Structures are given as structure tokens and as C-alpha cells.
Amino acid sequence: MRSLCVLTLCTLAATVRAFYIPSLSPQAFAPGTRVPLQVNRVFSEHVPLPYAYYDLPFVCTPHEIHRPWLNIGEVLRGDRIASSDYELTMGRNTTCQVLCTKTLSRAANEEAGRLIAQDYMAEWLVDKLPSATVYLRPLDKQRSKTYDPGFRIGDYDASLKRAYLNNHVTLHILYETHGTGRRIVGFEAYPRSIKNSSGKCPDLDSPTLEPLLVGTNEETLVTYSYSVRWIEDSTVHWAHRWDRYLRTTAQVHWYAIFNSFIIILLLSGVVAVILMRMLNRDLAIFARDVNEEELRDDIEETSGWKLLHGDVFRAPEYGGLLAPLLGTTVQVMYTAIATVVLGTLGILSPSYRGGLLTTGIVMFMLMGSASGYYSGHLYRTWGGKNWFKNALMTAILVPLLLVAIEMVLNAFLWYRSSSAAMPFSTLVLLFVLWTFIELPLTMLGAWFGFRRQPYSEPMRTNAIPRPVPPQPKYLGWPISILLAGSLPFSVIFIEMFYVLKSIWQDAFYYEYGFTVIIGVILAVTVCETTVIMVWLLLNSGHHKWWWRSFAYGASSSIYFFLYSLVFYYTRLRAGMPDTNGLVPALTFVLHSLLFTIVYALCTGSMGFFAAYFFIRRIYSM
């Protein structure tokens, strides 16, 4: 049955690949009307420190800056959208227009050289479309285009160690005609470096133009200019204007699914052997119609997991800590499921800037009721009495840990004046949301969960705990954790590459359909792996399985974190000068730690509940 479900998911992969809802309604511009161009930030695929565009000391700054309202997701991803002095008029080409003439101080000159050497790119917006660097698809006879968001602020000659500032940009605005208006379907930027301090437009066709050298520790007078060209493109419709930004890698994803499916088959075979051969033989003793005293006598003549019937449901050590932790893991898991489902349905489209983070935060707050409910129910099952204390720990425990890590990171980001640093107003907003939404919902859920009857365990617990015999080396903490985490990680490592690329290299990730399939396979793999490891643990006479089951489920997070570090050193920092500073490395490591904690919470809860219901099942037969 499980294999049939996986096959069905694979068959429907083409249809579950996420479509998107571009926005509520398209905007049409009449010929001759002004089209606003907004600037946002500069970012690098190699340095995880974005900066607000107008915080750069070498760019033209308007006398009056208008900033639109940003959602919390945009703020957290480092967006700082603002108006500009670029004049774009629908349908009116501009051969050349001077923006400003600016004197770069020595510090500004050096800063420009440093950012160019680190491959920083600028992101501008026209009708919510980000500026794009254009590439032609290889091996495509039609020479179709693909877009990379942003354009380079300059070019770096690594052999000569010289940086050249792009002070002229040619903008191609693509549009389609719809009735009497025109809809923008593309925004392409072609930057150039031109040595010009005359305050006038240069001769763009002159073969004698020299590039503008920066990073020379001297004052430099720079004239910024731009050109605009409007191009009607009937091959792209407004509803599909994001397609050029969304690169499909279906063949690689199919390989990942096939690899994961093979692992599922192997694990399912092992579980089937355990359930059908070993457990059926052992459970035969429980099937006889005997009284409890005779049953105990029969069990004492056997060995393995059957000897633990009086200890296996003993309340776990530090149950008052495990219950809030498990409640929060359910909250995180439900949040992840709801967010991915909304992405698959197309609600979290790229045009909804910051939508993924905003939705995740809102869902996390609303799922506080589920967190409190599961925590309160488990807490009462394990003999807890103070439901209010349990509810408060559930609401505080994990969020406090995540906030503490983020605050340490935020201090360093503030020091570097990065736009990735959370403003104080955002911190206040998050605290208000937690206080007035998550905390009350967690309390309400904990109250209902505590009032529910506790789980009725199938076996009574002995008064005196059974001592744990010496364990095999492969069931020791380090070895067993590494073994349990290897198979789940092998399911996700291919998909993880694209997720990390989306997070750190500003590539749009929008293949949620494949994410759903990989997520389902991951959940099955985690559950089956945990069941196998817990069964081996019980067979060795170890009845303290509660914390172990959570650790086995979350064990692949170790590989998750290590793979993130490998990605940083091989993909982000590779070949880039001056990227080995403390703050860039700390930014990546702490953010990776946050992602790892969230991942560990999700998979840990899967493993715990799978093991719990497995044990309840075998001891109730």
C-alpha cells in the first residue's frame, strides 16, 4: 500500500508542480504615462550580507525618497524598497539620460571596489518584476531567454585585481498590448562601465570609451546615466511573465525521487520482515487465552522486547521537558505542511514578495493551539499536574531558543549595517504577535489537551524499574544516531541543494510539487528508520526509548547541518576574495543552525510518534 501511494505521487508529479497566481490583478499602463522604477538592495551569491541600495556611498540618492509598506517577510529577507529618480515613460525610448554626477570619496571608492570584487548585484523593480540579467538557453535552437534576478554593479578583473564600476545601464522594458493599455512582461538590465565625469551623456557608440576604475583609494568624479528601450514582446503573456525566472530541473528531481523510492522499498522490506516474521512469532504468546500470572510466567521464560512489558510505558525522564518539546515540534511540522501546501496551490508565487516567510510566521502563530493540545495531552499521560506551567513552557521553550540565536546574529548584522538585520520595530511586532496570538492559543490548546483523558497504555508499569543491560556498540548514542540519520538524509540531499541555492543565491525556488513528494518520502523513511532502531533498542533490553525515538527521528539534521557547511565552502565562498570574515561566516552558520533546528523538530516528532504508536501496537496484540 505504501509503495502504491509513492507510485501515485510520482505519476502525478507533473500535475502537482506548483502553478502560481501572479497577483490579484494586472496593471496596464497607457502610452505616455510614467512607469515608476524602484530600487531595492544589493546582494551577492557569495556573501550572505545584503545592503539597502541607498546605503551605498557611491550611488545617486534622490532628494526625496518614498518607501512603500513592506510585509514582515520582505523585511526579514533584507528588502528595502524605495523610489528613484529614473524616468520611465511607457512607449518612449530614451537614448541617454544623465541621472547625476557624484564625487566618490576615498572610502566610497574603496567600498565600491570591495563590493564589485565580491560580485554584488543590484535589484531594481518595475511593476513588481525584478531587474534581470539575460542568458540564452544552451542548445536551444530558438535562443529562448532565461533570467537571473539582479545585475552586476561592476566587473572585476581577477587577473589584474581591478574593479570597474557600472555607471551606465540600458534598460529593456518588454510589454504586451492589452486593449488600450500595455502590460509589462519583462525587465532586462544591461550595465556598462564608462569613464565619464563630464556631467553629460557619453557617446555610447564610440569605440574609445574606457571603463571606470574604482577601488583606487582616491576621490573620483562619476557621471551616472541610463538608456531606456521599450520592446513589444508578443511571445510572453502577462500571466507567464515569471516563467523566465523559474528554471525547471525536472530531470534531476526525477532522479532524486527514484533514488528515494529505492530507499523506501528497502526500508519497507526490513519493516515487513520485522512485523511479519519476528514479531508474529514473538506475539504468539500473547494470543493465548491465559490469565495475567500465566502470561507473566511465559514472558519471563523469553527474552528481548517481551521482557520490557512492565517498563516500556514508564513515564520518560524529564517528561515535563519532553512534552513541551514535542508539542512545539507538532506546531513546526504543521506549519511546514501548511506552507508547502499553500505554495503548491500557487498562493505563494514569486510575485508575492516575502510571501513564504510571512505565511510561515502567521501559520506558526496560529498553530500554537495544536502545540498546546499535544503537549498538554502527553503531559497528563505522563502524570503531570500543573497544566499552566506546561503550557507556558510549550509557548516559550523553542521560540526563546530561536530568538536567542537570531538576536546574536542580529547584533553582528547591525554592526555591518546589513539590510538583513531586523529593525527594532519588526522585533516589537513579532513580540506582539507572540503575546496576543500564539501564547493565548497555546494556553487554550493546552487546557483542552490536559482535560482529555490520558492515553490508556496496554500494559501496566512495574513499581521497580528494570535495570538496563550493557548495550551493543552499534546502539550507543554516537553510532546509532549517525546510522539512523544516514538514510533519511540520502532521500533529501539532492532537493536540499536547490533549497539552499534558493535561500543563499537568490534563485527562485518554485517546484513545490517535487517538494511535496520528497517530503512524503522523507516522512515515511524517518518513521520506518525510527521504528527499526527502537525495535533493536527494545530487543537489547533498553526500555528508555522516549528520548531515543526523538533523537533517531531528528538524527538526519546532523548531516543537514554538515551539508550546509559544505555548500558554503564549495559554492558560496569558493573563489571570492575577502569573504572569509567573521560576520559573513557567522551569518551563514547561525542561519543554517536555525534551519537545522526547525528540520530536527519536524523529523524528531515524526520519529517519536511513529515509535510510540508502533510500541503501543505490538504490546496491545
Side-chain angles (χ1 to χ4, degrees):
M1 182 65 183
R2 187 181 295 109
S3 300
L4 179 61
C5 292
V6 175
L7 281 174
T8 304
L9 286 170
C10 293
T11 304
L12 296 177
T15 60
V16 299
R17 180 181 180 272
F19 61 90
Y20 65 89
I21 303 171
S23 63
L24 296 178
S25 61
Q27 183 176 5
F29 298 89
T33 58
R34 181 169 180 178
V35 178
L37 185 151
Q38 297 171 309
V39 299
N40 185 13
R41 58 175 184 156
V42 294
F43 63 93
S44 173
E45 295 183 353
H46 305 279
V47 184
L49 295 176
Y51 298 97
Y53 185 80
Y54 285 142
D55 285 347
L56 303 181
F58 52 87
V59 301
C60 297
T61 305
H63 294 292
E64 186 177 358
I65 300 176
H66 301 281
R67 301 183 185 274
W69 177 85
L70 301 178
N71 61 49
I72 192 171
E74 290 177 299
V75 174
L76 292 179
R77 70 186 295 267
D79 285 353
R80 299 295 185 266
I81 300 175
S83 61
S84 73
D85 284 340
Y86 289 91
E87 296 181 1
L88 277 63
T89 303
M90 174 58 74
R92 184 180 301 169
N93 293 334
T94 302
T95 304
C96 185
Q97 177 71 38
V98 173
L99 181 66
C100 77
T101 299
K102 186 179 182 68
T103 300
L104 305 187
S105 64
R106 293 182 177 181
N109 200 322
E110 289 184 345
E111 178 73 2
R114 183 181 66 84
L115 295 180
I116 292 171
Q118 295 178 359
D119 202 23
Y120 268 82
M121 307 180 75
E123 184 181 70
W124 297 350
L125 301 171
V126 170
D127 192 29
K128 299 182 181 179
L129 276 181
S131 53
T133 300
V134 181
Y135 296 95
L136 298 179
R137 294 182 185 271
L139 304 179
D140 189 344
K141 295 181 179 179
Q142 297 180 352
R143 308 292 288 172
S144 56
K145 298 177 180 179
T146 60
Y147 288 167
D148 264 358
F151 63 92
R152 285 180 172 81
I153 63 173
D155 296 312
Y156 184 70
D157 189 335
S159 60
L160 300 177
K161 295 186 178 181
R162 291 184 177 181
Y164 303 99
L165 178 65
N166 290 327
N167 59 328
H168 179 89
V169 60
T170 299
L171 306 176
H172 287 185
I173 315 296
L174 281 59
Y175 66 90
E176 67 164 348
T177 302
H178 184 81
T180 58
R182 298 174 179 178
R183 296 176 177 176
I184 295 175
V185 297
F187 178 25
E188 303 172 359
Y190 300 88
R192 291 181 62 181
S193 178
I194 302 174
K195 187 176 182 179
N196 180 22
S197 59
S198 63
K200 301 178 181 179
C201 280
D203 182 3
L204 299 177
D205 297 326
S206 174
T208 61
L209 292 178
E210 298 180 10
L212 176 60
L213 181 65
V214 292
T216 57
N217 192 25
E218 60 184 22
E219 290 189 356
T220 306
L221 188 64
V222 181
T223 296
Y224 287 86
S225 57
Y226 64 97
S227 305
V228 182
R229 183 183 175 192
W230 296 87
I231 303 172
E232 184 172 6
D233 189 349
S234 58
T235 63
V236 180
H237 297 293
W238 188 90
H240 299 281
R241 63 180 186 164
W242 282 92
D243 290 355
R244 289 174 173 172
Y245 293 90
L246 308 178
R247 298 181 178 180
T248 58
T249 52
Q251 185 175 1
V252 178
H253 291 288
W254 277 114
Y255 172 76
I257 291 173
F258 177 77
N259 171 69
S260 305
F261 182 67
I262 296 299
I263 294 174
I264 282 287
L265 289 179
L266 294 175
L267 279 177
S268 299
V270 174
V271 173
V273 168
I274 292 175
L275 295 178
M276 297 179 63
R277 300 183 64 178
M278 299 179 181
L279 280 178
N280 283 343
R281 183 186 61 210
D282 292 339
L283 288 171
I285 190 174
F286 291 97
R288 299 206 302 264
D289 186 15
V290 295
N291 59 40
E292 185 176 345
E293 183 177 352
E294 293 174 331
L295 179 63
R296 186 179 297 109
D297 293 338
D298 286 337
I299 290 178
E300 289 176 353
E301 295 175 359
T302 62
S303 60
W305 64 273
K306 301 175 291 300
L307 293 175
L308 307 180
H309 67 98
D311 296 277
V312 73
F313 293 108
R314 187 179 306 279
E317 298 177 345
Y318 308 106
L321 178 62
L322 183 58
L325 182 61
L326 288 170
T328 308
T329 61
V330 172
Q331 179 183 10
V332 173
M333 186 170 63
Y334 282 4
T335 299
I337 292 173
T339 304
V340 171
V341 168
L342 291 177
T344 306
L345 295 176
I347 297 175
L348 304 181
S349 70
S351 61
Y352 179 20
R353 298 184 64 86
L356 183 63
L357 283 173
T358 302
T359 303
I361 291 173
V362 172
M363 286 296 174
F364 183 81
M365 300 294 177
L366 296 178
M367 295 299 174
S369 55
S371 171
Y373 179 82
Y374 282 97
S375 175
H377 192 200
L378 288 172
Y379 180 70
R380 182 175 182 183
T381 300
W382 295 333
K385 303 298 182 183
N386 191 340
W387 75 270
F388 182 82
K389 176 184 175 182
N390 169 72
L392 197 61
M393 283 192 64
T394 304
I396 292 177
L397 184 61
V398 173
L400 183 63
L401 172 63
L402 299 179
V403 168
I405 296 174
E406 184 62 34
M407 288 304 297
V408 171
L409 175 61
N410 218 44
F412 287 93
L413 294 176
W414 273 334
Y415 170 74
R416 290 293 296 267
S417 301
S418 172
S419 63
M422 282 192 293
F424 180 75
S425 58
T426 303
L427 295 174
V428 173
L429 175 61
L430 291 174
F431 178 76
V432 170
L433 291 175
W434 178 85
T435 303
F436 293 101
I437 297 180
E438 186 192 0
L439 182 59
L441 288 176
T442 304
M443 292 290 181
L444 182 64
W447 185 76
F448 278 105
F450 192 80
R451 285 172 56 89
R452 182 184 172 187
Q453 288 297 320
Y455 287 114
S456 178
E457 309 298 6
M459 306 296 288
R460 290 190 304 178
T461 302
N462 294 335
I464 301 176
R466 175 183 292 272
V468 177
Q471 297 294 296
K473 289 185 178 181
Y474 67 87
L475 288 179
W477 269 104
I479 298 178
S480 63
I481 293 297
L482 294 177
L483 287 175
S486 58
L487 286 177
F489 178 74
S490 65
V491 169
I492 65 166
F493 79 96
I494 295 178
E495 197 71 20
M496 186 179 169
F497 170 81
Y498 294 98
V499 174
L500 291 176
K501 183 177 175 63
S502 172
I503 294 173
W504 297 110
Q505 296 187 326
D506 282 271
F508 291 108
Y509 181 84
Y510 207 63
E511 293 171 326
Y512 290 105
F514 288 113
T515 304
V516 170
I517 297 174
I518 295 295
V520 171
I521 297 176
L522 172 65
V524 174
T525 306
V526 167
C527 293
E528 291 184 340
T529 303
T530 305
V531 165
I532 293 172
M533 295 301 297
V534 169
W535 183 81
L536 293 174
L537 194 70
L538 296 178
N539 261 333
S540 68
H542 199 311
H543 57 83
K544 299 179 180 180
W545 62 272
W546 302 95
W547 282 99
R548 284 288 190 107
S549 63
F550 182 86
Y552 289 149
S555 57
S556 58
S557 61
I558 298 174
Y559 297 96
F560 187 102
F561 183 72
L562 293 177
Y563 185 83
S564 299
L565 298 182
V566 172
F567 182 88
Y568 174 68
Y569 283 98
T570 59
R571 295 283 302 187
L572 295 188
R573 214 186 73 169
M576 284 289 107
D578 195 26
T579 58
N580 56 352
L582 173 64
V583 177
L586 191 65
T587 300
F588 184 90
V589 170
L590 290 183
H591 272 134
S592 297
L593 182 60
L594 289 174
F595 301 145
T596 301
I597 291 173
V598 172
Y599 173 84
L601 292 175
C602 290
T603 54
S605 63
M606 295 177 192
F608 173 86
F609 287 108
Y612 188 25
F613 292 117
F614 169 76
I615 292 175
R616 284 173 55 86
R617 177 64 176 169
I618 64 175
Y619 280 98
S620 63
M621 295 177 66

